[in-house]
Every structure is written in structure tokens, then in C-alpha cells.
């Protein structure tokens, strides 16, 4: 029996009687039998269901490996970390392995947090991990490493170029050992860390040696600040940051103004789970510290200010310059939009879930910010891809901080933030790894009506943005459906002539990707777009870029014409239907188009490259460009005009 969550901040639980029964059933049946007939329905085909956070690499399956005893361990092995003091908030740490008698290409170093985490066998827990989908090789390693790197990244290790004599006989060296050094990128995640040397690769791991605990110099340090709009005036901005300090801190801004932070957090008990514990509930948990939030008021729109945040006891951030967005109803707005970013390591490490294009995209957008080319960012779902491995939120927040700390960073929720089995999401998939929206809404408080109602609207410049959750009920008579109907109908088009509708899952895509387009969602919600004369609809979820004609019910109601520069131009003076753009190309491994997609007459531009959508809106037109983040070249341009 499954007990669904009664609210977002309450844990999902399940019957302990069922757990015991299921454990005994698996134990007696054994892995040699076909198990599909005896599994709970939520576990059948679980490998496919859980492909979003498992089965991609050997490392991502590590928590399902039996930890064996290492044969022929060297008595001289040591793991040393070169530090003159405790860890700073960000640094590249040299980890040296000394005393290897037989260096192997299968030797690897893992970063563990917290340092006291159990990385021994957990044979009694094997039933708890069945939901990760690998029933033939259940997980026994208790805790998931933050990151890992093979010692072969230092070629001197395998070649034994760096030798040390450990034993002499009559003046002659009879025992020589080898050493190697790896450099790992470390950020302040507040808890002590430790580096472990494993043998056996990721498939048959065994612990060879440990470094011992290493502490951060200031685990209470306020970090990873990012700002967002709270309303359409451009005069108030919310600043959110992370700290190990539970006491309220301050934001200081605008020539001596201060605001005290509100402090919140979430716990392991707030994570969702089902018949079997989720990653967020179990092996992927990491303490988030405390999330601080304060609203800076009495600002001016389209203006530049400075701020810093923290306290005398916990420390202060550096002084940061930021720009407020233009007020709703003003003429001009410059913004970028994208979905499906995630994060990637800044060293050769492997991590639980890597989105390889994310670094190039965020770095390109940082250049836009530095050049004062944009007023705001819209990230429409699949934010960090932590998927129940909570430490990855810190790495994501660190990655975006040089953008999100300086311009309004607005977000929408995606399947990898919210969806989980029997948790109240529309899609009964485990894509959030048990997070169920709790970390997302804590780290990114948007101007939403309430917890677990992550929809909102905001005016910036000449645009009204309607931001929905495709993961929450959007059927007629639902609260969200009623809200979006009222919101779009109430837009003053003389004040904000452009209406942009955005959510995570698309209505149109040339690809038949897994759960790509939900025809029921299209049937229920697309008529609202036409009825309210939505100009442009942004979606992610599919990991590429695609632009349509003015489309409704699979038919082109109007086609763009070429302007004098050869750019596709949609004339909405005589409105026909919305233009749709899939913009899920900001980090996740790209979905490639096939030749047969040209059969879709409504698909006008298709690009499978990493990048972002750059927009410049006035009251008369919106100019939009797909920008390749690696080359900075524009791959697609189009305009929407109103005469």
C-alpha cells in the first residue's frame, strides 16, 4: 500500500508490513528467478523508469555495487591532501596517492561527504535500492561519492615515474612504490569531506586507503547568492543564498540599506519516497545547510546597484553589482531563455549526473551579462538535475552564481524537480529522485501563490510572462487551469502587448522522445493559448532547439515572411496562432534530429547544438536569436512584429 504525500513538506511513507514482506520475498526467490511477476507495479520495468538517474555510466551505478575486500593491499599506501590550512570556499585540491606497489588503471579516488559517511557494505539494505532498477546487481555501497577520478589521469602513476624506496637490503632497494597526484575542484559544501582510494574500478570497488577528514575553513560562510523578481515593478528584488548558519543574516545594499533574512531549510524527512526509499531519502542525501532569503526594496527599475550579504559572525560575501529589470509596461526588455541546463564538473571528475553543455552555456551568458546585453534570465525547468543527490544543488548554484547574482533569474519547475511516484505530480515517474519540488522551491522562491503551486506571472518591459508547471494538474477545473485562464485573460495588451507562455514539457517536437509530448496536455491547454492570443510559447524537456510556424492543432495557420535581411518575420498585427520554440539545449546531452523529421511541415528550424535563446523586445517587435554557446554564432533568427 502506498500513502501519497499530504503536502509538499511532509514525507511520503509506505507500509512497513509490505516492506518486510517484500524483503522476504526477494530473499527467498533469489535473483536467478524471473521477478517481474512478483514485483510491486511501481517496480516492474524499473530500469526504464529510472533511466533518468541510473544506467548511464558505471559510476552512476556505483551505489549498487558490492564492496569487496581488496587483494594484495600495499602496507605503504597513503592518501595525502596538499593543504596549508582548512579548505577555502573554492579551490583546486591536489590529492596524492603514495605507496602503491602495483599501480592499476582500475585505481580511483572518490570525494566523500560528510567524511563519516558509511562506504562499507550494507547487505541488509539491498532491498531498499531495488527501485533504482538493477535487480540483478543490487546496491550494497551505503553512500554515494560526490565525485571520483581515476588515478590514470596522472600518467606518471601507471608508468611509476615517481618512485620511492620503502625497503633496503644491504644498501640495495628491494621494495619500490609508486605515486600519483590528481587535482579536484572543491567548493564549500559545509560538511567535512574525505578522499578515499578505491581499487577495482567502479564495477568491483574496494577501499584501499583514506585521507582522513578535511574541514572547510568557514562552513557557515554565506554563498551562492542569486536574485529574482518578486513583482512587475522592477523596484523589489529577492536575494537567496546558502549558509551553514541558522541565525538570520543581512543583505546590505543601496548606500546603507539593510534587510534581515528569513531562514529555512529542509530535512531528509521532507523528501518523498514510495514503497522503496528514494535517492533523496537515502543514499543521495546531503545536508543543505540553511537557505536565507531577503527582499531588497526601494530600488529603481533598469538601474544598477551594489549589495553584499552575510553577517559579522558568519562572514560576508564580496560586493556584487546587479541590475534591476525594466518595469512592466516600459518599452524595452533584453533577456535570455533556456531549459535543461544542469551542471558539469570543472575538473576531469565523473559525477552522478553530468550535463556536458552547461558550462559553455553559462559562461556565454556570463559574457552577455558582463556586456550589459541582458536584463533577465528565464530557466524553464530541469534546473540542477540533482535528482535526489542533494550535494549537486550546491555545485549548480555555484556554477550559475556569476550570472544569477547579477540579473533577475526566473525559473519554472520541470520533471526532474517535481515528479515522483504517488506524490501528486501529473506524471507518475521517479524523475526527481524523491525531491518532489522541495529543494527547488526552497532554493528558487518565485512569486507563486503557495507551496507546491509553482505557477506565476510577471511583467517585464513590454512582455507579460505566464509561467506554468507542466508537472501539476493542468486539466480543466484544476486550480492551475483556472489560474492560467484568468491570468492570460487579464493581460492589458496596451501596456504589455506581448504575451509569452512558458512551461517545461512541449506541445510540439519532431522527436518521439520518451514522454516528450503529452497529447492530453496539448488538447487541454493549447486552446487557451489561441483564445488569449499568445504570441510565443517556450518549452524545454526535449534537448535541442526547434521553432514552428504559427501553429494550432498541428496545422500552420500562418507562415513567416522574409524581411529585407532574410530573417523570418511573423506579423501578429493580424493574429493567427502562437509560435512555439523548444529551447532545451542548455546542457543535457543533445537529442539529434533524423532526416524524416522534415515531414513535419510546421517545423521551420531545427538545431542540435548547445546554446540559448537571446531576445530583445520593444512594444513593436521581438527579435529572437538562437546563439551557439561554443562559437557565439547565431544559428537561427526570427522576429514577431505588430504594426
Amino acid at each position: 500500500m502506498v500513502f501519497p504525500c499530504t503536502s509538499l513538506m511532509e514525507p511520503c511513507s509506505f507500509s512497513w508490513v509490505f516492506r518486510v514482506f517484500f524483503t522476504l520475498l526477494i530473499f527467498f526467490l533469489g535473483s536467478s528467478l524471473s521477478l517481474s511477476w512478483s514485483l510491486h507495479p511501481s517496480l516492474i520495468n524499473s530500469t526504464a523508469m529510472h533511466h533518468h538517474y541510473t544506467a548511464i555510466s558505471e559510476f552512476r551505478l556505483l551505489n549498487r555495487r558490492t564492496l569487496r575486500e581488496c587483494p594484495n593491499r600495499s602496507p605503504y599506501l597513503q592518501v595525502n591532501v596538499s593543504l596549508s590550512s582548512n579548505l577555502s570556499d573554492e579551490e583546486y585540491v591536489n590529492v596524492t596517492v603514495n605507496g602503491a606497489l602495483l599501480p592499476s588503471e582500475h585505481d580511483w579516488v572518490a570525494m566523500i561527504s560528510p567524511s563519516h559517511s558509511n562506504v562499507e557494505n550494507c547487505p541488509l539494505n539491498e532491498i531498499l535500492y531495488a527501485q533504482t532498477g538493477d535487480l540483478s546487481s543490487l546496491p550494497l555501497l551505503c553512500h554515494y561519492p560526490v565525485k571520483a577520478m581515476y588515478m590514470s589521469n596522472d600518467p606518471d602513476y601507471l608508468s611509476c615515474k615517481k618512485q620511492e624506496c620503502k625497503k633496503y637490503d644491504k644498501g640495495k632497494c628491494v621494495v619500490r612504490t609508486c605515486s600519483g597526484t590528481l587535482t579536484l575542484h572543491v567548493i564549500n559544501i559545509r560538511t567535512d569531506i574525505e578522499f578515499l582510494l578505491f581499487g577495482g574500478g567502479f564495477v568491483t570497488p574496494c577501499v584501499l586507503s583514506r585521507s582522513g577528514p578535511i574541514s572547510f575553513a568557514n562552513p557557515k560562510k554565506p554563498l551562492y547568492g542569486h536574485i529574482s523578481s518578486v513583482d512587475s515593478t522592477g523596484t523589489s528584488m529577492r536575494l537567496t543564498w546558502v549558509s551553514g548558519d541558522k541565525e538570520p543574516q543581512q543583505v546590505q545594499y543601496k548606500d546603507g540599506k539593510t534587510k534581515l533574512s528569513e531562514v529555512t531549510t529542509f530535512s531528509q524527512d521532507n523528501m518523498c519516497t514510495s514503497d522503496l526509499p528514494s535517492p533523496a531519502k537515502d543514499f543521495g542525501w546531503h545536508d543543505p545547510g540553511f537557505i536565507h532569503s531577503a527582499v531588497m526594496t526601494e530600488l529603481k527599475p533598469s538601474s544598477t546597484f551594489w549589495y553584499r550579504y552575510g553577517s559579522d559572525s558568519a562572514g560576508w560575501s564580496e560586493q556584487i553589482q546587479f541590475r534591476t529589470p525594466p518595469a512592466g509596461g516600459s518599452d524595452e526588455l533584453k533577456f535570455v531563455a533556456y531549459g535543461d541546463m544542469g551542471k558539469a564538473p570543472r575538473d576531469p571528475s565523473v559525477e552522478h549526473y553530468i550535463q556536458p553543455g552547461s558550462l559553455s552555456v553559462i559562461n556565454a551568458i556570463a559574457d552577455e551579462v558582463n556586456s550589459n546585453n541582458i536584463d533577465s534570465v528565464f530557466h524553464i525547468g530541469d534546473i540542477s538535475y540533482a535528482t535526489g543527490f542533494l550535494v549537486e544543488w550546491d555545485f549548480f548554484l555555484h556554477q550559475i552564481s556569476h550570472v544569477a547574482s547579477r540579473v533577475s533569474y526566473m525559473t519554472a519547475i520541470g520533471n526532474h524537480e517535481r515528479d515522483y511516484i504517488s506524490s501528486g505530480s501529473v506524471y507518475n515517474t521517479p524523475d526527481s529522485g524523491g525531491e518532489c519540488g522541495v529543494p527547488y522551491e526552497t532554493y528558487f522562491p518565485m512569486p507563486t501563490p503557495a507551496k507546491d503551486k509553482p505557477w506565476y506571472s510577471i511583467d517585464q518591459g513590454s512582455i507579460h510572462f505566464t509561467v506554468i508547471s507542466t508537472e501539476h494538474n493542468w486539466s480543466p477545473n484544476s486550480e492551475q487551469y483556472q489560474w492560467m485562464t484568468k491570468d492570460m485573460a487579464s493581460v492589458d495588451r496596451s501596456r504589455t502587448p506581448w504575451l509569452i507562455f512558458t512551461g517545461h514539457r512541449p506541445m510540439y517536437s519532431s522527436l518521439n522522445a520518451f514522454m516528450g509530448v503529452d497529447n492530453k496536455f496539448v488538447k487541454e491547454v493549447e486552446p487557451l493559448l489561441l483564445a488569449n492570443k499568445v504570441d510565443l510559447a517556450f518549452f524545454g524537456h526535449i534537448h535541442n532547439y526547434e521553432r514552428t510556424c504559427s501553429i494550432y492543432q498541428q496545422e500552420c495557420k500562418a507562415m513567416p515572411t522574409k524581411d529585407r535581411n532574410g530573417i523570418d518575420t511573423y506579423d501578429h498585427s493580424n493574429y493567427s496562432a502562437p509560435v512555439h520554440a523548444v529551447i532545451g539545449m542548455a546542457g543535457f546531452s543533445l537529442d539529434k534530429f533524423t532526416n524524416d523529421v522534415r515531414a513535419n511541415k510546421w517545423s521551420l528550424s531545427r538545431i542540435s547544438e548547445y546554446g540559448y535563446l537571446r531576445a530583445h523586445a520593444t512594444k513593436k517587435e521581438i527579435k529572437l536569436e538562437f546563439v551557439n554557446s561554443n562559437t557565439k554564432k547565431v544559428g537561427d533568427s526570427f522576429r514577431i512584429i505588430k504594426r
Side-chain angles (χ1 to χ4, degrees):
M1 181 176 182
V2 178
F3 297 94
C5 296
T6 55
S7 73
L8 184 66
M9 296 301 289
E10 294 178 3
C12 296
S13 60
F14 59 91
S15 169
W16 283 95
V17 174
F18 179 84
R19 176 188 287 184
V20 172
F21 168 76
F22 191 64
T23 302
L24 293 173
L25 183 64
I26 295 293
F27 178 79
F28 286 114
L29 286 175
S31 59
S32 61
L33 298 178
S34 173
L35 298 178
S36 60
W37 64 270
S38 62
L39 290 177
H40 185 275
S42 68
L43 300 181
I44 296 174
N45 299 322
S46 59
T47 298
M49 290 175 62
H50 291 80
H51 79 284
H52 291 287
Y53 57 74
T54 59
I56 301 299
S57 70
E58 290 180 348
F59 180 69
R60 289 180 62 194
L61 298 175
L62 185 64
N63 65 295
R64 288 181 274 165
R65 303 303 186 194
T66 301
L67 195 67
R68 63 188 181 90
E69 290 294 324
C70 284
N72 305 317
R73 285 181 57 176
S74 167
Y76 308 108
L77 272 176
Q78 288 184 328
V79 179
N80 298 309
V81 182
S82 58
L83 290 173
S84 56
S85 60
N86 288 338
L87 290 164
S88 63
D89 297 327
E90 178 185 14
E91 63 180 284
Y92 287 84
V93 174
N94 290 327
V95 179
T96 299
V97 171
N98 295 307
L101 288 172
L102 297 171
S104 168
E105 63 181 352
H106 301 295
D107 295 345
W108 54 283
V109 168
M111 174 179 160
I112 303 293
S113 176
S115 60
H116 61 265
S117 299
N118 188 352
V119 290
E120 302 299 328
N121 280 340
C122 288
L124 297 180
N125 286 358
E126 62 183 69
I127 188 59
L128 305 183
Y129 304 138
Q131 73 161 326
T132 58
D134 186 359
L135 294 173
S136 63
S137 180
L138 291 171
L140 302 176
L141 194 65
C142 301
H143 191 79
Y144 203 90
V146 175
K147 58 169 59 187
M149 192 185 302
Y150 274 99
M151 286 302 302
S152 57
N153 276 274
D154 180 358
D156 292 343
Y157 181 73
L158 293 181
S159 66
C160 203
K161 185 175 181 180
K162 302 170 186 175
Q163 295 185 1
E164 183 180 1
C165 187
K166 294 294 185 180
K167 186 177 180 180
Y168 291 89
D169 185 9
K170 298 178 181 180
K172 183 179 180 180
C173 183
V174 294
V175 177
R176 287 185 175 89
T177 62
C178 311
S179 66
T181 300
L182 303 177
T183 301
L184 291 91
H185 178 239
V186 178
I187 64 170
N188 191 341
I189 53 176
R190 299 166 301 281
T191 55
D192 289 353
I193 65 173
E194 186 171 11
F195 294 97
L196 274 66
L197 174 65
F198 285 83
F202 299 147
V203 177
T204 57
C206 60
V207 176
L208 289 167
S209 186
R210 308 178 73 133
S211 69
I214 304 168
S215 300
F216 288 96
N218 184 4
K220 292 186 176 182
K221 183 70 176 291
L223 295 165
Y224 318 135
H226 49 282
I227 60 176
S228 58
S229 299
V230 299
D231 56 33
S232 301
T233 66
T235 61
S236 298
M237 299 294 292
R238 180 181 297 278
L239 173 66
T240 305
W241 67 94
V242 180
S243 172
D245 184 16
K246 66 180 179 180
E247 298 301 321
Q249 298 174 3
Q250 287 184 346
V251 55
Q252 297 178 347
Y253 69 103
K254 194 185 176 184
D255 301 326
K257 288 187 177 297
T258 63
K259 286 294 176 70
L260 201 64
S261 68
E262 296 181 358
V263 187
T264 187
T265 189
F266 53 89
S267 71
Q268 213 163 350
D269 288 338
N270 298 134
M271 300 296 97
C272 278
T273 193
S274 59
D275 294 326
L276 301 168
S278 66
K281 187 80 171 177
D282 194 32
F283 52 85
W285 171 256
H286 187 270
D287 192 322
F290 299 92
I291 295 85
H292 295 249
S293 184
V295 177
M296 297 179 282
T297 59
E298 299 181 54
L299 305 172
K300 291 182 179 180
S302 301
S303 300
T304 299
F305 300 94
W306 293 85
Y307 69 85
R308 70 170 187 162
Y309 54 93
S311 68
D312 290 338
S313 60
W316 291 91
S317 73
E318 62 181 1
Q319 200 170 47
I320 301 167
Q321 185 184 58
F322 75 103
R323 179 175 175 82
T324 53
S330 58
D331 182 57
E332 189 176 24
L333 174 68
K334 295 178 289 184
F335 69 95
V336 299
Y338 52 81
D340 306 79
M341 175 175 274
K343 55 102 193 84
R346 295 181 180 272
D347 57 27
S349 294
V350 291
E351 297 177 352
H352 154 254
Y353 214 168
I354 294 174
Q355 292 70 50
S358 59
L359 284 177
S360 71
V361 172
I362 199 65
N363 289 339
I365 294 171
D367 291 341
E368 302 267 16
V369 172
N370 293 335
S371 301
N372 295 317
N373 287 339
I374 59 174
D375 301 307
S376 59
V377 173
F378 285 84
H379 184 167
I380 54 171
D382 285 3
I383 307 298
S384 74
Y385 284 97
T387 60
F389 295 79
L390 277 300
V391 73
E392 299 198 7
W393 278 104
D394 284 289
F395 280 89
F396 174 76
L397 293 170
H398 171 269
Q399 178 176 285
I400 68 166
S401 60
H402 54 308
V403 168
S405 63
R406 298 185 57 195
V407 295
S408 176
Y409 199 94
M410 309 302 292
T411 59
I413 201 167
N415 56 301
H416 285 294
E417 286 75 60
R418 182 59 184 87
D419 292 1
Y420 200 70
I421 304 160
S422 301
S423 69
S425 53
V426 172
Y427 302 98
N428 200 33
T429 60
D431 295 352
S432 77
E435 293 183 10
C436 289
V438 175
Y440 163 75
E441 291 198 77
T442 308
Y443 289 123
F444 290 95
M446 294 292 111
T448 59
K451 284 288 186 184
D452 205 25
K453 297 179 182 180
W455 49 84
Y456 64 94
S457 65
I458 197 160
D459 296 342
Q460 290 186 353
S462 55
I463 302 176
H464 178 90
F465 293 90
T466 297
V467 183
I468 73 154
S469 168
T470 56
E471 314 311 301
H472 289 73
N473 193 348
W474 30 252
S475 62
N477 301 319
S478 69
E479 182 178 356
Q480 182 175 206
Y481 185 94
Q482 297 299 320
W483 172 85
M484 71 176 83
T485 302
K486 182 178 179 181
D487 176 75
M488 289 189 287
S490 64
V491 178
D492 183 352
R493 302 302 280 266
S494 65
R495 182 173 176 272
T496 50
W498 305 108
L499 174 53
I500 293 180
F501 180 91
T502 186
H504 184 59
R505 295 175 187 258
M507 294 185 177
Y508 291 93
S509 172
S510 294
L511 300 184
N512 292 320
F514 177 70
M515 293 295 288
V517 174
D518 184 342
N519 291 328
K520 185 177 180 182
F521 169 62
V522 178
K523 179 181 178 182
E524 303 290 10
V525 178
E526 189 183 24
L528 290 179
L529 275 60
L530 186 72
N532 291 284
K533 296 185 176 181
V534 167
D535 295 289
L536 189 57
F538 291 149
F539 300 100
H541 196 57
I542 303 298
H543 305 128
N544 53 34
Y545 170 82
E546 186 168 22
R547 169 172 60 90
T548 72
C549 59
S550 297
I551 191 170
Y552 182 66
Q553 293 182 345
Q554 300 283 330
E555 294 184 6
C556 288
K557 300 300 181 181
M559 296 292 289
T561 59
K562 300 290 186 181
D563 68 8
R564 66 182 66 181
N565 297 314
I567 296 174
D568 279 0
T569 302
Y570 301 80
D571 190 346
H572 281 195
S573 305
N574 185 18
Y575 181 82
S576 56
V579 179
H580 288 247
V582 172
I583 53 173
M585 64 289 163
F588 197 96
S589 297
L590 295 167
D591 292 327
K592 302 295 183 181
F593 292 99
T594 57
N595 293 331
D596 60 359
V597 301
R598 297 187 182 278
N600 294 326
K601 302 296 184 182
W602 45 260
S603 180
L604 304 186
S605 179
R606 294 172 293 275
I607 302 174
S608 184
E609 298 171 355
Y610 292 117
Y612 54 95
L613 193 69
R614 181 170 60 199
H616 183 189
T618 66
K619 289 195 173 183
K620 293 184 178 180
E621 72 171 343
I622 308 179
K623 298 178 181 178
L624 302 110
E625 299 172 321
F626 166 81
V627 181
N628 181 303
S629 58
N630 291 304
T631 66
K632 308 295 179 68
K633 293 181 179 179
V634 174
D636 182 49
S637 299
F638 65 102
R639 301 164 62 224
I640 306 177
I641 63 172
K642 288 183 181 178
R643 303 184 189 281

